[in-house]
Amino acid sequence: AGGAVPATVGVLDGQVRVGLDETALERFTPEARKLGPRDLGVCAAQGALGATTVGGTLVVAAAAGIRFMGTGGLGGVHRGFPDPPDVSADLGVCARVAALVVSCGIKSLLDVPATMELLETLGVPVVGYRTDTLPLFYDAAGGPAVSARVESPGEAARVAEAHWRLGGHGIVVGRPPKESLDVTPLIEEGVAEARRADVTGQGVTPFVLAFLHERSDGETRRVNRDLIVDNARLAGEVAVAFAGL
């Protein structure tokens, strides 16, 4: 409706697909592989079914010439680093792919301050959409200060154009969720439970999210779905504004 083209990314039947209809989306059951950048080629070659992470989607988007993406939360430095020595591939991809990612900030189950420091080191601007602080996924407030603030999709598009013209790559735009949900105690419980269950690497996020959905009686799932739609909408508005520059 906003003039942009929606294109959900996934791997089906040995092909990387950019743009999935409802029939294709219904095939992505919990048994689908979780695909980061390293996993795309393997999944396609083996003819398996896989859903992409933020980093995996960015790799595919770059190959397809797509520069704007709306998502939930960005991956980052896991709590306790360097034990475990776990840093999401999202950050490395942001450092080398010229794309603008609209999210509700860094996943709050991660080490947010450390992730912000690493993004700065990698030269990735973290811009707040009508906010001076980075949202904490479900919670609109309480995050670290952003490097800049924009007030409209057009201003975000101009920032992206200037950043890319100067040789920059990824940009993160933090958009606060419309409905703020404080689930900090539940997140702490979920992370502790993941450690007790010896869940590591790519398994941590889905484990903790499932824990939150169950313990919040589905409230986090509902808010999560809403914020993904809103982020996709803003990414589309920025894409349309960029096309008009």
Side-chain angles (χ1 to χ4, degrees), residues 12-26:
L12 290 140
D13 305 322
Q15 292 186 325
V16 180
R17 298 273 295 276
V18 180
L20 301 171
D21 58 21
E22 289 188 19
T23 301
L25 287 170
E26 287 174 356

Side-chain angles (χ1 to χ4, degrees), residues 92-178:
V93 178
C94 279
R96 65 179 187 270
V97 172
L100 182 146
V101 182
V102 178
S103 76
C104 282
I106 298 155
K107 294 170 185 170
S108 45
L109 58 94
L110 304 175
D111 188 331
V112 176
T115 302
M116 286 288 283
E117 287 292 335
L118 184 51
L119 285 169
E120 180 182 356
T121 300
L122 295 172
V124 178
V126 179
V127 178
Y129 184 72
R130 299 175 181 170
T131 180
D132 296 313
T133 58
L134 186 70
L136 295 175
F137 200 64
Y138 298 112
D139 199 344
V146 294
S147 57
R149 171 178 175 143
V150 295
E151 301 295 335
S152 68
E155 187 176 10
R158 292 191 297 274
V159 168
E161 192 276 334
H163 181 63
W164 294 331
R165 180 158 36 88
L166 291 167
H169 294 94
I171 304 171
V172 175
V173 175
R175 180 198 147 279
K178 289 180 180 177

Side-chain angles (χ1 to χ4, degrees), residues 196-219:
R196 283 193 291 270
D198 199 28
V199 178
T200 59
Q202 286 188 322
V204 173
T205 295
F207 181 94
V208 175
L209 289 180
F211 179 91
L212 294 176
H213 297 336
E214 179 183 351
R215 293 298 182 90
S216 68
D217 295 325
E219 280 296 284

Side-chain angles (χ1 to χ4, degrees), residues 183-203:
V183 290
T184 302
L186 282 180
I187 290 172
E188 297 294 338
E189 289 181 36
V191 171
E193 185 64 26
R195 289 183 185 138
R196 283 193 291 270
D198 199 28
V199 178
T200 59
Q202 286 188 322

